Amino acid sequence: MTHFLDIHTTDAADLRAMIDSARAMKTARNNRPKGTPDDDQPLAGRMVALIFEKPSTRTRISFDVGVRQMGGQTMVLSGADMQLGHGETIADTARVLSRYVDLIMIRTFEEATLQEMAEYASVPVINGLTNRTHPCQIMADVMTFEEHRGPIAGKKVVWSGDGNNVCASWLHAAGQFGFDFTFTGPEPLDPERVWIDFARAHGSDVKITRNPEEAVAGADLVIADTWVSMHDPQSARERRHNQLRGYQVNEALMARAKPDALFMHCLPAHRDDEVTSAVMDGPHSVIWDEAENRLHAQKAVLRWCLGV
Ligand code: CP
């Protein structure tokens, strides 16, 4: 069974092949008249379940559109509306869904839920975000960087803010795609040690600094993300803002990166908290390409999982 559960557990050559495939599919699609289906319909006759236990705009729509563009069909399911939300086990849900659909994409809270779904499903499972990781986002982000600046290997990527689930998948990608990664943020919000160790063990020069200005010096890419994630209690909001205020990505900070540095944010953003509108809408920003590339990158992930 070919699951796409995380970047660090997927073969690096397969990850590279998926990025290349995504770029080829994007080019082919952009060369076709708008509104026409892809020539290639590799998912014809296939049904994909998209399960959401947390809110989503980009993941939900990009998976739905991507499957349809490739000739497949989708059912978008809310975890709360399924028996899953009323005590049926993940294992039993996985067994039943596998009798109906060809692939399951799930966005959930606990990593253990994703792992159990994958263990008991007899169809591929894709991680659409857990509290710990967000691999589909970073596949799109690597694709976006390379579209604009060529190979990401050897580049300096800087994360400013909370060492959250998106940051974790960036660390996995640093190890698998061979770039250097600097985290800047307050110590209590450092990324998990195990992810730092993974990236370092795979040759990435990972640095941790409390000084954002020092962090972004020589950066090829600067990344911000929300200061309060979906699984964080709202009661943490004020404390988080106080902890992270000094790590806002603004024009002054971007000016310390390389002149051609890119800016990314997985969205949704809180304008003028973690990033200023001037940066989001400014010349360094590639956030709309980043959002679009969720579609293309995930189409490649779906094809890889299904072997089509
Ligand atoms: N970046 C991201 O995963 O967006 P959604 O939460 O809207 O899916």
Side-chain angles (χ1 to χ4, degrees), residues 42-100:
L43 266 60
R46 309 260 188 168
M47 178 63 76
V48 174
L50 306 172
I51 304 174
F52 289 90
E53 295 195 294
K54 292 180 177 183
S56 169
T57 296
R58 280 143 289 270
T59 306
R60 174 184 168 138
I61 296 169
S62 57
F63 265 108
D64 199 350
V65 170
V67 171
R68 291 169 193 238
Q69 285 182 355
M70 295 192 292
Q73 292 180 285
T74 59
M75 51 179 67
V76 181
L77 304 161
S78 153
D81 294 338
M82 299 168 68
Q83 298 294 6
L84 189 61
H86 303 276
E88 186 165 21
T89 68
I90 307 295
D92 290 351
T93 305
R95 291 180 179 112
V96 170
L97 280 180
S98 299
R99 300 293 179 104
Y100 301 138

Side-chain angles (χ1 to χ4, degrees), residues 22-40:
R23 289 190 67 179
M25 280 190 283
K26 180 175 181 178
T27 302
R29 186 152 190 94
N30 286 347
N31 288 336
R32 297 180 58 73
K34 227 175 163 44
T36 55
D38 289 4
D39 276 338
D40 206 7

Side-chain angles (χ1 to χ4, degrees), residues 268-280:
H270 301 82
R271 284 176 177 262
D272 302 313
D273 282 347
E274 69 268 14
V275 57
T276 58
S277 285
V279 170
M280 281 185 72

Side-chain angles (χ1 to χ4, degrees), residues 121-182:
S122 54
V123 298
V125 173
I126 295 177
N127 176 359
L129 179 146
T130 70
N131 292 356
R132 279 189 96 196
T133 61
H134 196 2
C136 289
Q137 178 67 54
I138 279 46
M139 292 296 283
D141 294 357
V142 169
M143 175 185 172
T144 306
F145 182 91
E146 294 195 337
E147 266 183 348
H148 285 270
R149 294 288 181 267
I152 197 167
K155 301 293 187 190
K156 178 176 176 179
V157 173
V158 178
W159 178 280
S160 186
D162 176 21
N164 63 14
N165 48 0
V166 182
C167 181
S169 289
W170 266 109
L171 276 161
H172 299 157
Q176 297 288 51
F177 288 98
F179 55 86
D180 297 332
F181 190 83
T182 297

